[in-house]
Amino acid sequence: MLSRTRQMRLTPRHVAHLQPTTIDVALPKPPVGMREATQADYDAAIAHLFSEADHHEETWVFAYGSLIWRPACDYVEVRTGRLHGWHRRFCLGWNTGFRGSPENPGLMLALDRGGACNGALYRLPPDTRDENVQKLLEREMSWLPSSFPPRWVKVKSGDRTVRALTFCIDRHSGRYVAGLSEEQIADMLATATGTRGSMADYLYSTVSHLEDMGIHDPHMWRLQHMVAERIEAVYER
């Protein structure tokens, strides 16, 4: 980890104002038109991902959001990398359980087309590749059809370009949310709370870990400042 050169305005003090109403780790029921993934689905996805004749011996995962601070898989190496053609954005909605409610729904991060994104690269243990890929699939695509299916991308890391697995939004999905301004996104992040915590906590964890890795995302940095302002205006007047 690198030492930070910038001080976040959003802090655990702000996050503490937004507590989950209940603690529930059970997966909510899938939305209408979706179903829970089965073991057969995971087996088929893994077989498809590694069906190409030119797949590499190393298996990397590119993390851009919560996988940075909660990887959900074992790894033997971590490094930073830059992905071109995709950018980090709050565009996966709407979350009315874990990080939101029907009254104040949350919006999760996904990779959307355009721009570039700096994130973390995790190299999976080669002897337990399939086991760890399944852990990722269970975390990221427990409902089908997936709104952000796994795909291979090329990520630049130092003097290397590695082929990595990541999860990108499907713009044709009914869960794709576009057209929101930073102000609207900040309003959502400052109010949405679910059974696993708040969107403010999600934002804090993501930005703080990015900064610890030496990754500065101007959009995310502006959002954390705006969210802190909003929370202060409500709870610290």
Side-chain angles (χ1 to χ4, degrees):
M1 296 293 183
L2 302 175
S3 60
R4 296 187 195 175
T5 59
R6 289 166 290 268
Q7 183 64 46
M8 291 177 61
R9 179 163 180 174
L10 184 65
T11 68
R13 184 190 87 244
H14 296 90
V15 172
H17 289 301
L18 300 167
Q19 294 296 321
T21 53
T22 58
I23 303 298
D24 183 8
V25 297
L27 189 68
K29 293 183 178 180
V32 176
M34 305 185 76
R35 63 175 178 83
E36 291 185 12
T38 65
Q39 184 60 51
D41 294 318
Y42 296 133
D43 291 342
I46 292 171
H48 174 72
L49 287 168
F50 296 100
S51 63
E52 301 176 11
D54 65 342
H55 73 78
H56 301 183
E57 292 183 3
E58 293 183 344
T59 302
W60 293 86
V61 175
F62 180 72
Y64 53 86
S66 61
L67 285 178
I68 292 176
W69 41 274
R70 192 159 60 91
C73 64
D74 300 326
Y75 57 91
V76 293
E77 182 181 354
V78 60
R79 58 196 299 167
T80 59
R82 183 171 179 82
L83 171 62
H84 288 277
W86 300 87
H87 67 283
R88 181 187 293 109
R89 187 165 186 81
F90 284 100
C91 62
L92 177 64
W94 286 96
N95 189 301
T96 59
F98 290 153
R99 296 281 180 178
S101 66
E103 297 76 22
N104 291 299
L107 198 61
M108 313 305 291
L109 283 172
L111 287 175
D112 199 5
R113 289 192 176 276
C117 178
N118 293 315
L121 279 166
Y122 293 105
R123 182 163 65 89
L124 303 186
D127 55 339
T128 55
R129 182 198 69 185
D130 289 2
E131 172 186 333
N132 281 285
V133 170
Q134 174 157 335
K135 289 179 182 179
L136 289 166
L137 297 180
E138 289 173 345
R139 161 89 169 270
E140 299 298 316
M141 52 170 282
S142 56
W143 295 339
L144 296 176
S146 176
S147 300
F148 53 126
R151 64 180 296 157
W152 293 108
V153 293
K154 292 183 178 180
V155 183
K156 181 73 173 177
S157 179
D159 59 356
R160 294 188 60 188
T161 298
V162 302
R163 183 173 179 263
L165 182 67
T166 196
F167 298 85
C168 300
I169 194 71
D170 175 4
R171 286 189 169 185
H172 298 290
S173 166
R175 297 184 66 197
Y176 176 57
V177 179
L180 298 181
S181 67
E182 281 193 344
E183 288 74 17
Q184 290 173 311
I185 294 173
D187 288 342
M188 175 276 300
L189 293 170
T191 56
T193 301
T195 58
R196 287 191 180 177
S198 66
M199 288 304 312
D201 182 28
Y202 180 94
L203 177 67
Y204 173 78
S205 295
T206 303
V207 177
S208 61
H209 279 77
L210 287 171
E211 290 289 322
D212 285 343
M213 297 184 72
I215 298 173
H216 182 65
D217 184 318
H219 170 60
M220 297 287 285
W221 189 260
R222 290 192 298 271
L223 285 175
Q224 65 84 26
H225 186 90
M226 295 164 69
V227 169
E229 281 186 325
R230 284 157 168 76
I231 293 175
E232 290 168 10
V234 173
Y235 296 98
E236 300 181 3
R237 292 181 293 181

